[in-house]
């Protein structure tokens, strides 16, 4: 395979050069930030600076940002410990049917422990409304969990408005937001959402896998998910992953220092969709996506997992939905009420500021050829 034509940036991103360099440096300077001599203090100082960089991009104080091992850990921590903190209020949770498995499976686990969960159903565009959420709130609601950007459709959910509605109903209800696909992909700093708890992840923004962060708003009290040596102000034990943290922060700094990256990404997505629609008359757009980097299309009558495999054999990487589905039909597209033929042929395309027109043209050619050859095989 000569060259990778990559359209799966929502699954993960290439680790940026700046992140690799920062990680190599941190791996070399291996001190444990908790040790008490100068060499270790230097490591602690670097973690402090890295936390400041991520917090600045988020818009919060460094004291409100806690490093985790991934977005999934942040979601688990926020939801499990959030409902526990509010257990006197009741055992009702509100979320949406389009959340990532990190939230949905956590909610299902809590259902098995006696919690009741309301799943808001999306419309055909994958969106839910403030009115739907307001109607679902109850006196015993302990926590609301709503993602900012859906990882399969690219739809933006009205999180800021929903936070206001929830807090007007009862300020004690905790609001968690999975912003893994929204961090550095939307123009506003995420602190402006007003949520109590927000999870983000490093590998979606050019950082390494195995690092994320949970924002815990000042004043919100959350017990740790991991107990042990008391790192992260006693809230997330485990020796700091200094290299992962350095890579995450370097990627964040590089994103922040790249003006026009969102506009470039959006322009590439628009170009690719135009080319695809012109080359494949049967193609339907499920969602053009509100964020610059994600859209969803379908080729009704085809099987997306077959298309993904045929394209993959040629080095063209697309996804048949979230990378976490492992071949199962997308619960997001199903919740949107798409016809079965649309569900079967659904593909997610995701972009970066570095995506080129040549890559979009190569994707178009590969998809047109795959559709042509599969049609011949099928008929
Ligand atoms: N939430 C959303 C919306 C995601 O897209 C993902 C990853 O695909 C996650 C959570 C999980 O993040 P991580 O892979 O860092 O655990």
């Amino acid at each position: 395979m000569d060259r990778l034509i990559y359209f799966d940036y929502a699954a993960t991103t290439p680790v940026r050069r700046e992140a690799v360099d920062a990680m190599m440096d941190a791996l070399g300077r291996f001190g444990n930030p908790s040790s008490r001599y100068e060499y270790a203090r230097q490591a602690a100082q670097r973690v402090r600076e890295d936390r400041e960089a991520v917090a600045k991009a988020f818009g919060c104080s460094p004291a409100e940002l806690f490093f985790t091992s991934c977005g999934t850990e942040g979601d688990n921590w926020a939801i499990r410990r959030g409902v526990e903190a509010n257990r006197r209020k009741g055992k009702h949770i509100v979320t949406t049917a389009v959340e990532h498995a990190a939230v949905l499976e956590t909610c299902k686990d809590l259902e098995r422990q006696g919690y009741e969960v309301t799943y808001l159903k999306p419309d055909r565009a994958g969106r839910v409304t403030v009115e739907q959420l307001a109607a679902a709130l109850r006196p015993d609601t302990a926590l609301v969990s709503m993602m900012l950007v859906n990882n399969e459709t690219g739809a933006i959910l009205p999180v800021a408005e929903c936070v206001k509605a929830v807090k007007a109903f009862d300020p004690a209800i905790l609001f968690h937001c999975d912003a893994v696909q929204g961090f550095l992909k939307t123009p506003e700093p995420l602190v402006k959402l007003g949520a109590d708890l927000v999870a983000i992840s490093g590998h979606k923004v050019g950082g390494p896998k195995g690092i994320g962060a949970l924002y815990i708003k000042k004043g919100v009290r959350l017990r740790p998910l991991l107990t042990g040596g008391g790192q992260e102000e006693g809230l997330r034990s485990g020796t700091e992953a200094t290299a992962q943290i350095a890579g995450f922060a370097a990627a964040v700094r590089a994103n922040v220092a790249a003006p026009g990256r969102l506009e470039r990404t959006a322009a590439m997505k628009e170009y690719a969709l135009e080319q695809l629609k012109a080359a494949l008359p049967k193609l339907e757009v499920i969602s053009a996506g509100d964020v610059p980097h994600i859209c969803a299309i379908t080729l009704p009558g085809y099987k997306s997992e077959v298309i993904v495999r045929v394209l993959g054999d040629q080095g063209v990487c697309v996804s048949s939905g979230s990378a976490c589905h492992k071949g199962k039909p997308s619960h997001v597209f199903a919740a949107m009420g798409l016809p079965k033929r649309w569900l079967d042929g659904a593909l997610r395309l995701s972009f970066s500021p570095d995506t080129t027109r040549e890559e979009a043209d190569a994707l178009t050619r590969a998809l047109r050829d795959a559709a042509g050859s599969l049609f011949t095989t099928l008929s």
Side-chain angles (χ1 to χ4, degrees), residues 10 70-72 75 100 102 147 149 151 178 180-181 201 203-204:
C70 56
T72 300
D75 288 336
H100 187 270
M147 69 196 327
V149 173
N151 47 303
D178 172 342
V180 166
Q181 295 288 353
S201 175
H203 74 104
K204 309 290 186 184

Side-chain angles (χ1 to χ4, degrees), residues 13-36:
T13 56
V15 184
R16 295 185 68 111
R17 184 78 248 162
E18 298 89 335
V20 173
D21 291 345
M23 290 178 76
M24 291 305 284
D25 183 65
L27 286 169
R29 300 198 276 162
F30 61 89
N32 183 331
S34 299
S35 299
R36 305 242 161 186

Side-chain angles (χ1 to χ4, degrees), residues 73-359:
E73 184 190 325
D75 288 336
N76 269 267
W77 182 8
I79 296 170
R80 290 179 190 279
R81 292 311 195 207
V83 293
E84 180 195 273
N86 257 350
R87 65 178 168 269
R88 270 191 220 96
K89 268 199 86 328
K91 286 191 146 190
H92 179 234
I93 300 169
V94 183
T95 188
T96 79
V98 297
E99 299 295 314
H100 187 270
V103 168
L104 286 182
E105 292 303 318
T106 305
C107 286
K108 282 191 200 146
D109 192 39
L110 288 168
E111 279 179 314
R112 287 189 285 272
Q113 296 172 35
Y115 284 85
E116 198 186 328
V117 183
T118 302
Y119 298 92
L120 303 178
K121 199 173 151 27
D123 63 13
R124 271 292 277 259
R127 299 199 185 88
V128 296
T129 63
V130 181
E131 291 73 26
Q132 271 177 286
L133 173 64
L137 296 173
R138 306 192 322 210
D140 63 340
T141 305
L143 179 130
V144 173
S145 180
M146 181 181 285
M147 69 196 327
L148 178 59
V149 173
N150 183 269
N151 47 303
E152 297 187 41
T153 60
I156 296 182
L157 273 60
V159 172
E161 295 90 319
C162 286
V163 171
K164 285 199 192 98
V166 166
K167 296 295 173 181
F169 181 84
D170 181 351
I173 298 174
L174 284 172
F175 200 113
H176 163 250
C177 174
D178 172 342
V180 166
Q181 295 288 353
F183 183 47
L184 298 172
K185 304 288 168 40
T186 49
E188 292 281 343
L190 293 185
V191 76
K192 292 207 175 162
L193 296 172
D196 299 300
L197 305 160
V198 182
I200 57 175
S201 175
H203 74 104
K204 309 290 186 184
V205 297
K209 294 162 190 62
I211 184 71
L214 182 67
Y215 159 79
I216 306 181
K217 191 187 209 158
K218 185 166 184 247
V220 172
R221 298 180 75 81
L222 207 64
R223 286 201 325 121
L225 191 64
L226 298 186
T227 47
Q231 289 86 350
E232 300 288 292
E233 303 298 322
L235 286 179
R236 202 281 183 183
S237 287
T239 301
E240 293 85 345
T242 48
Q244 250 76 359
I245 291 170
F248 185 13
V252 168
R253 289 187 190 98
N255 271 282
V256 171
R261 65 183 201 286
L262 297 181
E263 293 77 4
R264 273 203 311 285
T265 312
M268 284 319 307
K269 182 172 73 173
E270 202 177 313
Y271 175 76
L273 280 175
E274 271 167 22
Q275 299 304 306
L276 287 164
K277 280 192 279 188
L280 291 133
K282 287 199 177 132
L283 180 144
E284 303 277 357
V285 177
I286 296 174
S287 165
D290 300 321
V291 276
H293 68 302
I294 301 177
C295 66
I297 58 171
T298 184
L299 282 169
Y302 291 85
K303 294 260 178 245
S304 56
E305 51 299 2
V306 179
I307 296 179
V308 168
R309 197 164 4 96
V310 171
L311 294 188
D313 289 346
Q314 300 166 48
V316 179
C317 306
V318 302
S319 166
S320 58
S322 150
C324 306
H325 287 321
K326 302 224 165 66
K328 280 190 253 148
S330 152
H331 69 281
V332 174
F333 300 145
M336 285 158 63
L338 299 185
K340 182 159 181 338
R341 278 165 62 79
W342 279 47
L343 284 179
D344 286 346
L347 297 170
R348 175 185 69 184
L349 306 176
S350 45
F351 299 78
S352 93
D354 302 325
T355 303
T356 62
R357 281 181 171 236
E358 290 68 35
E359 286 171 328

